[in-house]
Structure formats: C-alpha cells, structure tokens
Amino acid sequence: MSTPPNYTRSRIRLQLVRPSFTLDVDLDLPGDGITVLFGVSGSGKTSLLRSVAGLERTPGAVISIAGETWQDDAAGIYLPTWQRPLGYVFQEASLFEHLNVRKNLQFGLKRSHTPSDAAALNAAIDLLGIDGLLDRSTGQLSGGERQRVAIARALATQPRLLLLDEPLASLDQVRRQDILPWLERLRDELKIPMLYVTHSSDEVARLADTLVVLDAGKVKACGPAADVLAATDGAAVLGDDAGALLDATVAGRDTRWQLMQLAFNGGSLWLRDTGHAVGRKVRVRLLARDVSVATQEPQQTSIQNLLPCAVQSIQPDAHPSQVLVRMLCGESVVLARVTARAADALRLAPGMAVWAQIKAVVLVE
C-alpha cells in the first residue's frame, strides 16, 4: 500500500553546486506558517528559494509542498516554474510601471489556477490594506506600498506556497516598520506555507515560526524559531543574534515609572511602557550578550529584571575567551554570553542554581 501524501508537511532535498560552495539541504518543514531561511550573504538562501521555484534546475532533487510533488527525478516528476502553484516576491517589487495598481493585480490573476475566481485577489486586497491604492500609478507608491501590492499580486494566483526573497531589504527602517504588521497578518491569517529569506535577526524574531540557519550551503540548525535561537550549537552562526525568543503577555504596568510588565512561562519582565493593552500577546528577545549570571540573588543593583534559573549546559562560544551558558527559567530557556574566566571563577556547572540578570529586553511585536 502506498504512503498517503502528507498535507501538513513539506520536503525539500536538493544539491546545487556553486563555484564557492555546494548547497546541500534536506528539510522537513511544516505545511503552514513562516519558515525563515536565515544566514549571511552567500550562504545559499536565495539559491534554495530559486530551486524550490524551479528557477534553478537541481538534478536529483525532491521537492514536495504540502503533499504535492513538484520535483522527484527518481520518479520522473518535474514541474516547470509556470506549473508550480507558487507566488514569488522579490527584493524589488517588480511592478509593471505602465499599469496602475489595479491592472498590476489583475495581471496576477492570469497565472491563477482558477482564473475565473477573483475572490482570492479581493481577499488579498483586504488583507494587505491596499484598496485605497488601486487607481494609483505605481510611480506614486512608497516602497512599502509597492511591496504590499507585489505580495497581493502573488497571492492572487492562489499559491500553495509563498516565497519571499528579502522583501524588506530595499526599504529604509521606517518603511520596514510600516510593512512588518502586514507580514504578521499574512502569517496569522493565511494557511499557506511561506519561505522567507532574510539576514535580519529582527525579522526572524518578529515573523518566524520555523527557523532554518544556513552557512556555506549547509543547514546548521532547523526547528521552531525559539528553540533554534536559544540553541548553543547554532550560536557561532547566529553570533550576536543568539538568545531567547519568548512568548509573553502584558500583565500590568507601573504608571509612576512608565513601565510595562510582561509575564512568561518562567517569570516576568519589566520594560518601557509601549501602551500595549493588558492581556495582549507579544514576543520578546533576550539576547545572550545582554544577560549575565550571578550565583546569589543580586542586591542593590540597577538591573530590574532578575530571574532564578538552573544551569543546563555551558558550551564554548565562537571566540575561546567566551562561553554560552544555557539556563532554564521555569520552562523557558535563557542564554548568557560570559567570559570563560567568569564561568570558571563562579564554578558554573549543569544543575547549579543561579540568577540571570537581564540588562535589556527587546519587544519585537
């Protein structure tokens, strides 16, 4: 009896030889949410995306998206790009300058696998908040607006997979902040899987459900974003971006000092009050470089966020002068980057009770 297709998972196995490296990956990914491909320039992120899209021919590859096989050379299956039900969003919006927004979007319908059904386009227009832009020429759009239109055009094809290749790379910081909430809506409201390429840790922390870390064409880590970011074995690639990603809830505020309290599975944290409503779900980052370790509860300190933890492991860092201390605070993992000399002086060891001193908390949504 043949194995039924797995509509909740995707498989990407391929090798692509490049002059400077060989892209060699074997990924088993969720069938929904955002999978972020993260790494430095030249690590193979865009090559992987182009291979999935069929823009790079990769002999011997197996590409199966939510139960539908797009390529399996051993089985004699290969769908060219135009037959793959995907949407592709590039760094630049690549809109047709001679068409207004409405006609750019209607062009996307021509690639739809159900072209008579405009419901998907209307839903994309609503989802991305571009109804008021439909009659504008593309030259009148800001960078963030252009990318929203490009995403809506990709969604008009009713894809089984949405590919986004550094869609914020060409935008300044203000425009990036404008479009990030719309990308969050895509993540939270769409049920199609997304592959999202970036080298921005901020985008990883804010958007990623699953994180794939690439380095010189190899997968260094893959899994739930919070687990990968807090894993010591991937910290050499993540560098200063290594740390904890926590799901938290706004629990209260101190109006006198303009502070907001966040509760998470392991304690609570204070940070600058942003006005978020009590009860709102948020994500926060605790970067390893912003965490220090004490063996006794600190007294008379300016650091407001102190968490009782237990040491899980101590691993060498990228530079021999430093180590990464992985701690469990309640059910949440926190990383600290300290000098090897300090770890030795404190006699840190697995199982030891310690206090994590959080010098900075980064609210990412």
Side-chain angles (χ1 to χ4, degrees), residues 121-260:
L121 177 55
N122 292 332
I125 290 171
D126 291 340
L127 183 66
L128 290 155
I130 58 174
D131 185 72
L133 307 177
L134 296 178
D135 295 319
R136 286 197 202 175
S137 70
T138 56
Q140 294 177 314
L141 302 178
S142 69
E145 290 170 340
R146 290 174 67 89
Q147 284 296 56
R148 279 194 279 155
V149 171
I151 294 169
R153 187 175 64 181
L155 292 176
T157 67
Q158 301 185 59
R160 296 285 299 277
L161 175 68
L162 186 61
L163 307 174
L164 301 105
D165 189 0
E166 300 201 63
L168 307 187
S170 63
L171 305 180
D172 60 33
Q173 185 61 29
V174 172
R175 297 304 179 195
R176 289 183 187 184
Q177 295 305 312
D178 285 344
I179 199 173
L180 275 169
W182 301 104
L183 292 173
E184 288 172 337
R185 289 197 67 184
L186 293 183
R187 180 195 65 199
D188 296 339
E189 298 184 28
L190 293 183
K191 300 305 180 184
I192 62 172
M194 288 177 268
L195 283 181
Y196 187 104
V197 166
T198 186
H199 60 264
S200 166
S201 61
D202 291 337
E203 293 171 39
V204 171
R206 188 156 179 175
L207 300 174
D209 298 301
T210 302
L211 178 58
V212 178
V213 179
L214 289 172
D215 184 36
K218 302 294 189 295
V219 176
K220 294 298 183 181
C222 177
D227 293 348
V228 174
L229 288 172
T232 54
D233 55 358
V237 177
L238 293 166
D240 282 348
D241 299 318
L245 183 63
L246 305 177
D247 292 318
T249 304
V250 179
R253 46 185 30 93
D254 185 329
T255 55
R256 178 186 178 187
W257 300 111
Q258 300 294 304
L259 295 174
M260 179 171 67

Side-chain angles (χ1 to χ4, degrees), residues 67 79 86 95 103 137 173 209 231 246 248 296 322 326 334 350:
L79 299 183
L86 60 87
L95 302 178
K103 291 182 178 178
S137 70
Q173 185 61 29
D209 298 301
L246 305 177
Q296 297 180 350
Q322 296 178 316
R326 180 182 169 98
V334 175

Side-chain angles (χ1 to χ4, degrees), residues 62-97:
V62 174
I63 299 172
S64 177
I65 304 299
E68 182 176 275
T69 300
W70 294 358
Q71 181 177 351
D72 186 343
D73 288 351
I77 299 172
Y78 183 83
L79 299 183
T81 300
W82 64 273
Q83 288 186 330
R84 300 186 185 195
L86 60 87
Y88 204 126
V89 180
F90 299 88
Q91 286 188 26
E92 299 292 339
S94 301
L95 302 178
F96 297 110
E97 300 298 331

Side-chain angles (χ1 to χ4, degrees), residues 37 40 57 61 72 124 150 217 224 271 289 327 345 364:
L37 307 178
V40 299
R57 184 63 189 262
D72 186 343
L271 69 161
R289 66 173 186 248
M327 298 170 286
V364 295

Side-chain angles (χ1 to χ4, degrees), residues 107-118:
F107 181 86
L109 282 179
K110 296 179 181 179
R111 274 204 65 235
S112 175
H113 289 260
T114 55
S116 61
D117 186 3

Side-chain angles (χ1 to χ4, degrees), residues 38 201-202 229 234-244 285-290 317-318 322 324 335 337 362:
F38 177 80
S201 61
D202 291 337
L229 288 172
V237 177
L238 293 166
D240 282 348
D241 299 318
R285 296 173 70 195
L286 306 180
L287 295 174
R289 66 173 186 248
D290 294 328
D317 202 3
Q322 296 178 316
L324 281 166
L335 284 185
R337 177 174 276 123
V362 181

